[in-house]
Amino acid sequence: MDHQIPAETAAHVLFHYGRDGGYQAGSFTEQLITAIDMADPANRDKLAAGFPDYVAAVVAIQYDPNGVHHLQRIAAGQVAA
């Protein structure tokens, strides 16, 4: 995870994926997370130019076996990303 993930971002992504420790984002952010979730790698890279923290969090939860736990720790303020 190359980019800093703020606690709020971690919480929003956790909620989107139905994981403990998250809370719902506003409608724009919900749609953004959905777009990142659905994006192919080229479009995900384009979204990362404007929203690197959200892309990093989604990539973590999708591809890192410890991603959920890591995001939960960030959201709880137990660790900095």
Side-chain angles (χ1 to χ4, degrees):
M1 287 171 246
D2 298 323
H3 193 273
Q4 292 279 57
I5 301 171
E8 181 177 57
T9 299
H12 291 161
V13 171
L14 287 166
F15 181 88
H16 177 80
Y17 286 92
R19 302 301 186 129
D20 291 337
Y23 56 85
Q24 189 168 16
S27 60
F28 173 82
T29 303
E30 280 287 323
Q31 293 300 314
L32 173 64
I33 295 168
T34 298
I36 296 166
D37 180 33
M38 296 174 62
D40 58 60
N43 284 309
R44 189 173 53 234
D45 289 346
K46 291 175 185 175
L47 289 165
F51 305 97
D53 52 339
Y54 279 97
V55 171
V58 169
V59 167
I61 208 165
Q62 287 182 335
Y63 299 108
D64 181 350
N66 298 314
V68 171
H69 179 68
H70 186 66
L71 291 178
Q72 287 171 330
R73 292 185 67 213
I74 293 169
Q78 297 173 352
V79 65

